[in-house]
């Protein structure tokens, strides 16, 4: 073997030894990494398990408390309140007053139709109440024949009925809770005559009275009679052209479309000089339409009820005045009448509710304004309002 071959052979042997010496070191490093990863995963898993146990324990504890609370509350009476406009601030306030009175007598009141995926009609809700054999029904009165038949069925099933806001004496209801239609019409008439005397000189004043579809024919007639009496008493009959229109209340957006047509429809012409609204919903719809179609300053609005939007409109002189009903009192009296009938078998046939006139002058001093509900279903676009005030004349501040 030559010297060069010997040297090459020794070199290979040494490299082989070094390679064998290095292998255990690399293996040890790999095992150490696997061990660290395993420990980390184990800690994370343990933390997750502990967290899950604590989380579900707390949820179970809270659920048990909730169930225990519900099971411990047993009511003596179960009443239902039914209206086609349960989403308005007016009826939410009536319901709030009813709940306050019911709590004092360990009774439960449900505002039927709330939080349902399907919109049920007033008649459908009434059928459900009768079939459920509730202890009492508090309902917004109307002239509908189907409603009348169902209320008579409730009477036959010994379910007492209290009508609220509007009446239907043929239903054999035990009591009516609401405002005097004559007094309300007289108040609107006084406001109208005052406006005409101060603002109308030569031209006639066209006055539109917006009736809600849910109003009974009797109530509509009484209100119009009272308004006309005020006009005649003030000797301004020759200056006022008064007419009425019934607006839909049960169908979605029907009222909005009908009120819009008053101002921009084919037969709208110049539109009325004064609009008298007899419901919160119609007041809001008229206000929204006047703003949207740049009619601010061209029509005077006499509204009904108070809410954040109506309050703001009065401050801006877009709504001249509004009649406010003590809705909390209305709700309380409805339950009070029901309880009295349950206990004694007798009850007063009519409970008249307090009402007040609100204008810009007494807006912030009136007791009803301090208890305005949180929000309206409608919001008026501020940009539309500014544009309407600039083009239509706006308020006195302009």
């Amino acid at each position: 073997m030559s010297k060069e071959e010997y040297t090459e052979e020794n070199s290979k042997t040494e490299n082989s030894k070094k390679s064998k010496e290095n292998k255990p070191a690399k293996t040890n490093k790999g095992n150490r990494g696997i061990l660290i990863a395993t420990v980390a995963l184990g800690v994370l898993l343990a933390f997750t398990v502990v967290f899950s146990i604590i989380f579900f324990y707390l949820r179970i504890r809270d659920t048990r408390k909730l169930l225990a609370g519900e099971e411990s509350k047993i009511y003596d009476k179960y009443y239902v309140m039914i209206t086609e406009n349960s989403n308005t601030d007016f009826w939410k306030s009536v319901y709030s007053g009813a709940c306050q009175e019911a709590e004092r007598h360990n009774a439960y009141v449900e505002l039927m139709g709330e939080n349902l995926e399907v919109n049920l009609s007033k008649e459908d809700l009434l059928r459900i109440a009768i079939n459920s054999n509730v202890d009492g029904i508090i309902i917004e009165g109307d002239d509908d024949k189907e409603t009348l038949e169902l209320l008579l069925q409730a009477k036959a099933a010994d379910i007492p009925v209290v009508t609220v806001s509007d009446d239907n004496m043929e239903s054999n209801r035990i009591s009516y809770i609401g405002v005097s239609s004559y007094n309300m019409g007289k108040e609107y008439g006084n406001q109208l005559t005052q406006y005409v005397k101060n603002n109308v000189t030569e031209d006639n004043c066209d006055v539109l009275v917006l009736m809600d579809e849910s109003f009974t024919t009797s109530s509509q007639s009484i209100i119009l009679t009272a308004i006309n009496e005020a006009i005649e008493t003030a000797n301004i009959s020759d200056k006022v052209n008064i007419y009425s229109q019934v607006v839909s209340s049960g169908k979605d957006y029907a009222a909005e479309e009908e009120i819009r047509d008053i101002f921009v429809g084919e037969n709208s012409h110049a539109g009325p000089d004064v609009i008298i609204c007899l419901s919160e919903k119609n007041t809001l719809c008229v206000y929204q339409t006047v703003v949207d179609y740049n009619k601010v300053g061209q029509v005077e609005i006499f509204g009904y009820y108070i809410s954040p939007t109506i309050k703001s409109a009065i401050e801006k002189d877009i709504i001249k005045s509004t009649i406010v009903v003590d809705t909390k009192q209305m709700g309380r009296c409805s339950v009070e009448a029901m309880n009295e009938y349950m206990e004694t078998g007798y009850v007063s046939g009519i409970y008249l509710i307090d009402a007040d006139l609100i204008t810009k002058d007494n807006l912030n001093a009136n007791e009803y304004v301090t208890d305005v509900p949180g929000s309206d279903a409608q919001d008026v676009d501020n940009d539309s309002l500014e544009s309407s005030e600039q083009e239509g004349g706006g308020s006195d501040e302009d």
Side-chain angles (χ1 to χ4, degrees), residues 108-119:
Y108 182 79
V109 182
E110 178 185 357
L111 182 58
M112 294 192 71
E114 276 197 322
N115 303 320
L116 295 179
E117 296 181 358
V118 180
N119 290 328

Side-chain angles (χ1 to χ4, degrees), residues 96-149:
S96 175
C99 290
Q100 291 175 4
E101 182 66 19
E103 187 175 355
R104 294 179 59 247
H105 298 275
N106 195 36
Y108 182 79
V109 182
E110 178 185 357
L111 182 58
M112 294 192 71
E114 276 197 322
N115 303 320
L116 295 179
E117 296 181 358
V118 180
N119 290 328
L120 298 179
S121 67
K122 188 176 178 180
E123 293 75 24
D124 289 335
L125 295 175
L126 191 49
R127 288 190 188 90
I128 294 172
I130 295 171
N131 292 332
S132 301
N133 196 30
V134 298
D135 294 308
I137 297 173
I138 302 168
I139 188 169
E140 179 184 15
D142 61 45
D143 268 344
D144 185 78
K145 292 182 179 180
E146 187 176 2
T147 300
L148 176 59
E149 291 176 0

Side-chain angles (χ1 to χ4, degrees), residues 227-262:
I227 294 175
N228 280 310
E229 284 182 3
I231 294 172
E232 292 174 2
T233 302
N235 294 320
I236 58 171
S237 299
D238 57 329
K239 292 184 178 181
V240 178
N241 299 322
I242 186 168
Y243 57 105
S244 64
Q245 179 175 331
V246 178
V247 178
S248 301
S249 60
K251 301 176 182 177
D252 292 339
Y253 305 109
E256 289 87 340
E257 293 175 0
E258 292 172 16
I259 290 173
R260 181 199 61 197
D261 290 341
I262 294 172

Side-chain angles (χ1 to χ4, degrees), residues 153-212:
Q153 289 180 24
K155 177 67 175 178
D158 292 328
I159 301 176
V161 174
V162 171
T163 54
V164 179
S165 183
D166 207 353
D167 196 12
N168 188 331
M169 296 185 65
E170 296 180 9
S171 64
N172 289 332
R173 47 76 172 161
I174 62 171
S175 187
Y176 161 64
I177 319 294
V179 180
S180 165
S181 297
Y182 180 81
N183 290 342
M184 187 165 69
K186 186 177 180 180
E187 188 61 64
Y188 279 121
N190 292 337
Q191 281 291 294
L192 176 61
T193 56
Q194 182 180 347
Y195 169 77
V196 172
K197 286 181 177 180
N198 294 336
N199 297 277
V200 179
T201 54
E202 299 178 358
D203 297 333
N204 287 341
C205 180
D206 292 328
V207 180
L208 171 60
V209 181
L210 282 183
M211 300 287 187
D212 198 281

Side-chain angles (χ1 to χ4, degrees), residues 2 23 63 99 132 168 173 179 196 238 265 280 314 328 335 351 374 382 384:
S2 64
K23 281 183 179 180
T63 302
C99 290
S132 301
N168 188 331
R173 47 76 172 161
V179 180
V196 172
D238 57 329
E280 178 198 3
I314 293 174
K328 294 286 183 67
V335 175
Y351 284 73
N382 289 329
S384 299

Side-chain angles (χ1 to χ4, degrees), residues 276-342:
I276 297 176
C277 304
L278 302 183
S279 72
E280 178 198 3
K281 184 176 182 179
N282 288 348
T283 302
L284 291 169
C285 289
V286 169
Y287 171 47
Q288 181 75 59
T289 303
V290 165
V291 170
D292 288 346
Y293 293 97
N294 300 324
K295 300 292 184 178
V296 173
Q298 299 178 30
V299 58
E300 289 291 346
I301 304 172
F302 296 152
Y304 183 80
Y305 196 57
I306 191 70
S307 66
T309 299
I310 295 175
K311 179 177 182 290
S312 175
I314 293 174
E315 291 173 338
K316 297 170 183 175
D317 292 319
I318 300 175
I319 293 179
K320 188 169 185 61
S321 65
T322 188
I323 289 181
V324 180
V325 177
D326 191 341
T327 46
K328 294 286 183 67
Q329 182 190 17
M330 188 179 290
R332 290 194 300 268
C333 286
S334 65
V335 175
E336 181 182 328
M338 195 72 75
N339 288 332
E340 184 177 344
Y341 180 80
M342 291 286 188

